[in-house]
Amino acid sequence: MAVHDHSHRHIGLRLSFPRRTGAVSDSATVTSEAATATAAGTLALAGLRVLLGFVFLWAFLDKVFGFGYATPSGKGWIDGGSPTKGFLGSVAAGPMKSTFHSWAGDTWADWLFMLGLLGIGVALIAGIGLRLAAPAGTVMMALMWMAEWPPAKHLSDGTPSMSTNPFADYHLVYALALIALAATGAGGAWGLGRLWARLPFVSRNRRLL
């Protein structure tokens, strides 16, 4: 009986080691996969931030200089053109149509719109001030959404609006992306977010992150 008991205990000890090794190995694998996923997510958000920043910055540059894309050559802001007159003046649907028409071409509207494009674009590309850029960009996208008014099937003259979706268009996608970037603090990778956060006036006021 003594030999049998000793053998049984010996087998039990031998079987326990592989289980412990396997548990440690599984834990290490999960940790490694989580770290890889986190790193990939960080880079994906950084790429989204830079790309979205270029969308805003390019819109600013094209409207200033008239590169011949959305803004015809010779019609840029520096040539005397208005960044808001064409877009707001052509609003043909929605509850704010008359309001947008009254804003079109106003100096205050031009400056506010252009400073918004420039500030948001620079903040996103540099990875700084995302908590300021996100609400500013969201307000801008909301106003542009209302100007295009995707819920309308027809414009005021009766022609089809050509709206592809009555609610979820690219303005709302941009707004949500801005909020996500600010909420996740996505300015560190491929940006100056970490350096910006260490500045004394930023560390004292976290809303500037």
Side-chain angles (χ1 to χ4, degrees), residues 87 91-95 100 141-155 160-173:
F87 177 64
V91 173
F100 287 134
M141 291 299 101
L143 288 172
M144 294 180 72
W145 184 89
M146 295 187 71
E148 293 197 4
W149 199 247
K153 291 183 178 180
H154 298 87
L155 303 179
S161 67
M162 306 302 290
S163 174
T164 58
N165 190 298
F167 175 72
D169 77 339
Y170 68 97
H171 295 104
L172 299 188
V173 175

Side-chain angles (χ1 to χ4, degrees), residues 13 27 37 63-64 86-87 98 102 122-123 126 136 143 145-146 149 151 168 180:
L13 289 172
S27 177
K63 292 180 184 303
V64 169
F87 177 64
S98 59
S102 68
V122 171
L143 288 172
W145 184 89
M146 295 187 71
W149 199 247

Side-chain angles (χ1 to χ4, degrees), residues 36-199:
T36 301
T38 300
T42 299
L43 294 180
L45 286 173
L48 174 63
R49 192 198 77 236
V50 173
L51 186 61
L52 188 56
F54 183 71
V55 170
F56 282 88
L57 188 58
W58 174 261
F60 169 80
L61 295 173
D62 184 57
K63 292 180 184 303
V64 169
F65 299 106
F67 289 144
Y69 290 89
T71 304
S73 300
K75 299 292 185 179
W77 202 18
I78 62 172
D79 301 310
S82 169
T84 63
K85 187 174 182 179
F87 177 64
L88 294 181
S90 63
V91 173
M96 290 187 64
K97 181 177 71 171
S98 59
T99 300
F100 287 134
H101 286 175
S102 68
W103 291 354
D106 283 356
T107 301
W108 69 267
D110 289 344
W111 276 95
L112 194 61
F113 179 55
M114 295 299 282
L115 288 176
L117 290 176
L118 177 62
I120 295 167
V122 171
L124 289 172
I125 291 175
I128 62 176
L130 298 184
R131 293 185 182 180
L132 294 177
T138 298
V139 170
M140 181 183 291
M141 291 299 101
L143 288 172
M144 294 180 72
W145 184 89
M146 295 187 71
E148 293 197 4
W149 199 247
K153 291 183 178 180
H154 298 87
L155 303 179
S156 55
D157 60 0
T159 60
S161 67
M162 306 302 290
S163 174
T164 58
N165 190 298
F167 175 72
D169 77 339
Y170 68 97
H171 295 104
L172 299 188
V173 175
Y174 287 174
L176 184 59
L178 286 167
I179 294 171
L181 292 170
T184 56
W190 299 348
L192 304 176
R194 293 189 181 91
L195 294 175
W196 175 258
R198 289 199 291 267
L199 295 177

